[in-house]
Amino acid sequence: MIKAGTARGLACIAALAVVFTADPAPARQETPAALRAEAFEAAQWAIASDAADALARVSARFAQGDDALGRLAEERETLIERRDRLERELERLYASDDAAALAARSRTRSAWEATVERLRTVDADIGTRFPAYSELTSPRALSVAETQALLGPDEGRLLVLVNPEATYVWGLSRERVEWARADGLGEAAMGEAVNRLRASLTSAGTARGGQEVDPILFAGPQATPFDRASAHRLYSALVEPVEAAFRGKTTLISVVTGPLTALPLSVLTTKAPTGSDAAPAALASTPWLIDRYALATLPSVSSLEALRCHLVADPALRSPGCPPSRAPLARPAGAGQTRLNLAAFGAPLLTGEPVNATRGAPAADDVMGEGRLADVGKLRALPSLPGSKLELETLKSRYPGALVRIGPEATEHAVRADDAEALSRARFVVFSTHGLMAGSAAAEPGLVMTPPDQATEADDGYLSASEAAQLKLNAEFVVLSACNTAASDGRPGGEGLSGLARAFFYAGARSVMVSHWEVSDAATTTLITSTFADLDGHSAGDPGVRARALQAGIRAVRAERRWAHPAYWAAFTLVGEPG
């Protein structure tokens, strides 16, 4: 079923080609600039994602500041999670025709119908009693002027809409707007270009169980050379034509769609390559987009309004570009309590040998047991992560009063129960472990924790996306130091920035750092510890502080010549508020 906003977007987008190429209609006497500003708004109706919806809902709940609304909103999110889980279960049951499956299908179908009916009731109740909440969570396209007002003086904005016949690009800053159309980069061509670059970063078929594995994590000589010429062509088509709008800014906030969601923009090269793609010296001297800008990405244009206007506890910290507030701002989870600098979990107690020094693991399907619980034996047999242990110990020494759970203490029960109150007060939250991709519709992406002796609903050693969404956070920065945490299935073609990223936005994070492929244990340890070292060198209110900290972490990895290939340093993306 197509969402109303998406349907409206498809209708609006059909006119984009005309808007970008035609002269203004004489009857209306509108300038090309005015028409293309309309196209900027039209493009936003074609962008719909669960991550954007998650940000809108949690920010609206905070902005309304009502306990009764909070209870209804939480019930709504629980119902949505239950509905989605039951739909996955029904898909699994429809694959079997035996008597037990038929009976289970009938029961599950009845539970799904009851859940959907209750969700309709809750939605109607919210719409009647809290109309402002409903308004805040409805899709809204921002005008060019509204978008510019939300930007800081050193920020630029890049919107890339991949359409079947072409790609449309807008560049904005407070002072200027540029736009372009890339005729040679329709959806199919963009998919080919992204897949070609991804093949330089991950290598299907060399991995355990058919999963993608970074080819250079085994040893340097057989690494797939990174296709810098293709990366430069994308830069020339997507960024350079509109770069005049934000050239000289320090932070670039992007919204991308389609196949491009599977590729970090940090790997685009700003000059035509020289030397061999396989030569470490040539890679080390290559100018990348991450050298020019600290990068952050958002699931939609309006997500910045959610983050800077509604998901803010102190009215004084709202962006000057925000619309007038119609309701008191709420105090999010943990507000008013003693702040905890860091809560971190990871390096779970696992018995497998640390194979290939990566934080990759099989798909979630491969570790699931009977029903919805994980098989603790299969989890326990996953490779241990010595780099994660070093990473967390380094963070613990940096933040002496932090809550850091390593090894046997890094349990799902600790996250969801024992340490839930501390988590709600944490400024930074880190999970350093294996990330599992959703192998099919029946298994969710998630994070591996130390397995218990026996799996229960409270703790099966696997923190799934829906369980993460039920955490209560007030975190400026959530770091998922694991593999394939950027998308719902960890592969190009899935909805970008969903899965775990969406879950932590539901939970109350302002920004989430996620990865696009299986990552090197050692290089990631350097990246994460260097990111936090830079973060501590700036005050919390510094513009773009988190995006610049990740930029510094990437530089630290690249400083090691053995890690010059972008497969080592480019996997992580900052999603959400850059500072």
Side-chain angles (χ1 to χ4, degrees):
M1 189 166 89
I2 297 176
K3 295 179 181 178
T6 305
R8 181 173 176 179
L10 292 172
C12 293
I13 285 306
L16 274 175
V18 176
V19 171
F20 267 76
T21 57
D23 292 327
R28 298 174 66 188
Q29 293 299 310
E30 289 189 294
T31 66
L35 289 171
R36 288 164 184 164
E38 288 182 21
F40 176 76
E41 295 184 42
Q44 294 174 58
W45 290 110
I47 301 171
S49 79
D50 289 337
D53 185 53
L55 267 177
R57 296 224 295 268
V58 73
S59 66
R61 189 170 73 244
F62 286 159
Q64 282 268 256
D66 189 288
D67 288 342
L69 171 62
R71 288 190 294 272
L72 279 173
E74 287 181 13
E75 182 183 1
R76 183 178 190 273
E77 289 166 14
T78 300
L79 288 166
I80 289 172
E81 185 276 325
R82 185 186 304 160
R83 178 201 63 192
D84 293 347
R85 174 174 55 77
L86 290 168
E87 286 176 353
R88 289 192 297 271
E89 183 68 10
L90 278 172
E91 287 186 22
R92 185 183 67 82
L93 291 169
Y94 271 105
S96 175
D97 289 328
D98 61 50
L102 290 172
R105 187 192 307 172
S106 176
R107 292 192 300 271
T108 304
R109 177 78 186 183
S110 297
W112 178 84
E113 290 173 349
T115 300
V116 169
E117 183 58 35
R118 177 58 187 165
L119 183 58
R120 290 195 190 100
T121 301
V122 170
D123 279 340
D125 198 6
I126 291 175
T128 300
R129 296 169 59 190
F130 305 101
Y133 176 86
S134 296
E135 180 182 338
L136 288 171
T137 54
S138 298
R140 189 176 90 87
L142 300 185
S143 69
V144 167
E146 288 172 322
T147 303
Q148 289 177 302
L150 289 168
L151 292 174
D154 279 325
E155 292 179 335
R157 193 82 187 257
L158 178 72
L159 171 61
V160 183
L161 178 67
V162 182
N163 220 34
E165 82 291 344
T167 290
Y168 303 91
V169 188
W170 288 261
L172 298 88
S173 63
R174 280 183 172 184
E175 304 83 15
R176 189 167 174 177
V177 182
E178 297 288 341
W179 46 79
R181 169 179 160 134
D183 286 309
L185 275 178
E187 190 168 24
M190 182 70 78
E192 290 176 6
V194 169
N195 288 338
R196 188 161 54 249
L197 287 172
R198 288 275 305 205
S200 300
L201 298 163
T202 57
S203 181
T206 63
R208 305 172 301 278
Q211 299 303 313
E212 292 183 346
V213 173
D214 171 352
I216 67 170
L217 300 179
F218 305 106
Q222 72 269 33
T224 303
F226 182 71
D227 188 353
R228 292 179 297 156
S230 290
H232 182 64
R233 280 194 292 272
L234 282 184
Y235 164 79
S236 300
L238 303 178
V239 181
E240 192 172 32
V242 299
E243 195 167 10
F246 47 77
R247 189 180 298 278
K249 305 298 183 183
T250 59
T251 303
L252 181 60
I253 306 168
S254 64
V255 176
V256 301
T257 66
L260 205 57
T261 61
L263 187 74
L265 296 185
S266 57
V267 302
L268 302 188
T269 60
T270 56
K271 289 185 180 178
T274 58
S276 169
D277 285 343
L283 284 173
S285 62
T286 297
W288 307 94
L289 192 66
I290 190 65
D291 295 322
R292 191 171 288 180
Y293 307 104
L295 299 173
T297 188
L298 288 172
S300 73
V301 173
S302 62
S303 294
L304 197 60
E305 183 181 69
L307 286 163
R308 294 186 172 177
C309 300
H310 308 310
L311 196 58
V312 180
D314 183 353
L317 298 178
R318 298 175 84 231
S319 166
C322 292
S325 178
R326 289 181 291 274
L329 291 169
R331 294 159 66 85
Q337 303 177 41
T338 304
R339 263 311 224 172
L340 182 67
N341 271 332
L342 173 73
F345 304 82
L349 201 59
L350 306 172
T351 58
E353 290 296 319
V355 179
N356 299 329
T358 69
R359 294 187 189 178
D365 279 354
D366 295 342
V367 299
M368 298 308 290
E370 295 296 323
R372 300 189 348 257
L373 301 181
D375 184 316
V376 295
K378 291 178 180 178
L379 285 180
R380 192 174 291 111
L382 292 173
S384 61
L385 293 168
S388 286
K389 186 173 186 291
L390 175 61
E391 179 182 311
L392 293 175
E393 288 173 343
T394 303
L395 290 176
K396 187 175 183 178
S397 65
R398 179 170 293 282
Y399 302 103
L403 170 72
V404 180
R405 303 296 192 201
I406 300 174
E409 295 183 344
T411 64
E412 182 186 359
H413 191 268
V415 173
R416 299 176 62 193
D418 294 346
D419 296 324
E421 187 274 336
L423 262 174
S424 73
R425 296 187 286 110
R427 180 184 173 200
F428 306 135
V429 174
V430 176
F431 288 91
S432 182
T433 182
H434 289 297
L436 273 59
M437 299 183 297
S440 74
E444 297 182 64
L447 300 168
V448 175
M449 311 303 293
T450 293
D453 292 333
Q454 184 174 351
T456 65
E457 289 284 348
D459 185 355
D460 63 351
Y462 186 62
L463 184 68
S464 67
S466 60
E467 290 166 339
Q470 295 172 43
L471 301 175
K472 304 302 177 190
L473 303 180
N474 183 23
E476 297 172 14
F477 195 22
V478 171
V479 176
L480 304 182
S481 183
C483 78
N484 292 308
T485 52
S488 56
D489 62 1
R491 296 186 298 272
E495 180 193 306
L497 308 179
S498 57
L500 285 168
R502 177 193 68 188
F504 281 98
F505 281 134
Y506 270 126
R510 310 304 196 275
S511 59
V512 183
M513 200 167 92
V514 292
S515 65
H516 285 270
W517 53 78
E518 189 163 325
V519 294
S520 159
D521 195 25
T524 300
T525 296
T526 296
L527 187 144
I528 299 300
T529 55
S530 299
T531 295
F532 276 93
D534 188 82
L535 201 59
D536 287 344
H538 305 277
S539 66
D542 285 355
V545 61
R546 294 188 283 282
R548 286 190 286 110
L550 176 56
Q551 184 185 41
I554 288 172
R555 287 194 187 112
V557 175
R558 287 171 53 199
E560 296 265 1
R561 176 163 291 210
R562 61 189 171 125
W563 293 336
H565 195 295
Y568 281 109
W569 54 260
F572 284 96
T573 295
L574 179 69
V575 186
E577 172 61 67

